[in-house]
Structure formats: structure tokens, C-alpha cells
Amino acid sequence: MAAVALTACTSRAVDRHWANTGTDFNAGASWSGGTAPGTSDRAFFSTAMSSQPDVSASTSLYGLFFTPALGTAASAATSACGGYVLTAAPGAALTLTASGYNYNGVYMLEQCTTGSNIIATPIAFPVKTTESHHFVNVVSGTLEFSGPLTGDSNNVLRVGGTAKFPAFILSGDNSGFTGGFVKAGGFP
């Protein structure tokens, strides 16, 4: 029984930061600390872009963050986290698992830069048995989803933040996403 509790405590999410040392999103060498983000980890792009990330194989992670640090105010945004274009090898996709039902601060994705970022890789949301909200917080800058989105009807993509729309742009194929889209106000 004690071993089970210890195992549960050691599986917490880790913040992984893009190191700009390679282009393979899935390779540990491309990330500070030498480990690529896993299913419960948050992937951060918190420095100036010098190499573009490419998802080489399908993987799951908690969320993506283009921000110097969680909760960065729009007034503190810099161009340091902008200019990324996240691409994928043929057949590869990212599954983002962060979700919640109300304004509980669970962000799947956060953008806080004066620049722009483009997510061209396919984004998948896991199959849900009940309604699940995935929060996108655009504090400043422009965030574009140009890759396809997929997810079942229990997934709701909630977009909000302090940035003025169209700071969030959906330009990819969303026909595989049967859930809902909600334009929300600022999040706590």
C-alpha cells in the first residue's frame, strides 16, 4: 500500500524547456535537462527561437506554453518567446491532455509574447466520456493553429485571455473536431 502512494507522488508533471539545441521535439537532447516532455509534462518555449521544433513521432503531453513563465502579465511580454513554427513529420501528432470544466486555471496552452507562434502540427484531444474544457490563454501576441484539430463531441476548446482577438487564429482543417469552440473572457 505504501509503495502505491509513493508511486503516485513521483508521477507529477515536470516543466520541460526547449533548449534550441536541435530540431526534434521528441529528442531529449532538444530540451534543457536532456528529457523530452511526456504525457503529464508541460512543454515551454521560453527563450528566443534559434531552432524550429519538429514533432518526429506522435506523442502526448499536458500542454504547450509560449511564455517566459506561467502567469506572465501582458505588460511584461517580450518578443523572446515568439517566432516558433511547430511542425510535424507525416503522420505525427500531439495529443494535449490538460482539461478542466470551469475557470480553474488549467491551461492547455498559454501565449505571452509580443511575437507570433504557429502550431502547424496536428493537435488531437483525447476521447472524453463527459464534457471537458481545454483552455487556451492568449495574453499577448498572435497564436495560430494551422494544423488539423481532432477531438470528439465532449471536447470544448475555450479561448480567452487579455489579448484582443484575432490574437488566436484557426486556419487549419477543423473538420475532425466535433466538439465546441467558445470565445471566453480573461481567465484568473
Side-chain angles (χ1 to χ4, degrees):
M1 185 70 103
V4 171
L6 180 60
T7 302
C9 291
T10 59
S11 64
R12 289 196 301 183
V14 174
D15 292 344
R16 306 285 182 193
H17 293 264
W18 182 249
N20 277 309
T21 55
T23 60
D24 187 349
F25 184 93
N26 302 74
S30 297
W31 297 87
S32 297
T35 303
T39 302
S40 61
D41 297 335
R42 298 184 294 196
F44 277 84
F45 296 87
S46 53
T47 59
M49 186 281 302
S50 63
S51 63
Q52 296 289 8
D54 184 71
V55 177
S56 58
S58 293
T59 190
S60 294
L61 59 137
Y62 188 79
L64 291 169
F65 298 84
F66 298 93
T67 184
L70 284 178
T72 299
S75 60
T78 68
S79 62
C81 310
Y84 287 99
V85 178
L86 183 61
T87 58
L94 284 178
T95 298
L96 301 178
T97 62
S99 65
Y101 186 73
N102 55 19
Y103 300 104
N104 59 3
V106 178
Y107 298 126
M108 164 200 80
L109 199 142
E110 183 173 68
Q111 161 96 4
C112 186
T113 175
T114 56
S116 297
N117 291 298
I118 299 171
I119 300 175
T121 186
I123 299 290
F125 297 102
V127 173
K128 297 290 185 176
T129 56
T130 59
E131 187 173 294
S132 182
H133 290 230
H134 306 280
F135 295 99
V136 177
N137 188 28
V138 182
V139 179
S140 64
T142 301
L143 179 63
E144 179 176 354
F145 277 17
S146 66
L149 295 177
T150 58
D152 68 16
S153 60
N154 284 321
N155 285 285
V156 176
L157 186 60
R158 260 188 112 87
V159 181
T162 56
K164 301 289 184 220
F165 293 91
F168 181 73
I169 300 167
L170 288 170
S171 62
D173 177 10
N174 303 317
S175 62
F177 185 80
T178 58
F181 293 98
V182 177
K183 179 179 171 185
F187 299 131

